[in-house]
Amino acid sequence: VAGVCAPLTEKFDPLGLGTEEKMEQFTAAEIKHGRCAMIACLGYVLPEWFRFPGCESYESGLGALGSLPAEGWFQLVALIGAHEVLVKPREGGLGAFDFGLGSELLEGQSAEEVERKQTVERNNGRLAMVGFAGLVSQELMF
């Protein structure tokens, strides 16, 4: 099963509370949160080395939340809202997480290789979620 890593051999639900449909929702949410966390880690660290022209006055890290003007917040909310409304899983795809963006790289791969790559993506997302939490807590503490 994609995303399952040693020492576990199947999806982790020790109390048996999740139905198959609920576990699919959790899987899609985990992948989505992992992808967002990977982008967030880049967005958190990248301004330390590079800034677009005109954005030099904005602060880095959590300070950016206070230095972003209202127009920036509007653009951010509009982009996220448009993505939620307009981008849907493709028909006949790999699951609720398959938006058809990059999945053509999996065509022609063996089933074991596709599962391995999905597990790698999920593990990278898990690490990014923990990493972003570490970045934020480190900034808040120090």
Side-chain angles (χ1 to χ4, degrees):
V1 175
V4 176
C5 302
L8 303 175
T9 57
E10 57 188 40
K11 291 184 179 180
F12 187 70
D13 186 17
L15 299 177
L17 299 175
T19 62
E20 192 62 36
E21 181 180 300
K22 199 66 160 165
M23 293 303 275
E24 280 297 317
Q25 287 179 322
F26 290 151
T27 297
E30 179 188 23
I31 292 171
K32 187 181 215 177
H33 286 104
R35 289 173 179 171
C36 288
M38 288 187 265
I39 293 170
C41 286
L42 281 175
Y44 199 92
V45 175
L46 198 60
E48 299 296 328
W49 296 292
F50 171 79
R51 291 178 187 262
F52 287 107
C55 298
E56 294 87 0
S57 63
Y58 298 135
E59 296 182 37
S60 296
L62 295 178
L65 298 175
S67 63
L68 195 62
E71 296 85 7
W73 280 107
F74 176 75
Q75 289 176 3
L76 190 62
V77 170
L79 177 70
I80 293 169
H83 186 275
E84 286 292 322
V85 171
L86 300 174
V87 179
K88 300 293 179 201
R90 68 182 178 143
E91 290 292 322
L94 298 172
F97 52 87
D98 181 6
F99 300 115
L101 306 170
S103 57
E104 63 274 359
L105 298 173
L106 299 176
E107 292 175 5
Q109 304 276 335
S110 67
E112 294 83 22
E113 183 65 11
V114 170
E115 184 176 317
R116 186 192 73 78
K117 288 182 178 184
Q118 289 175 329
T119 301
V120 166
E121 180 194 12
R122 193 131 4 132
N123 285 335
N124 287 339
R126 291 168 180 156
L127 180 61
M129 287 186 266
V130 172
F132 188 73
L135 287 169
V136 170
S137 58
Q138 181 251 341
E139 183 170 338
L140 289 173
M141 291 175 69
F142 302 106

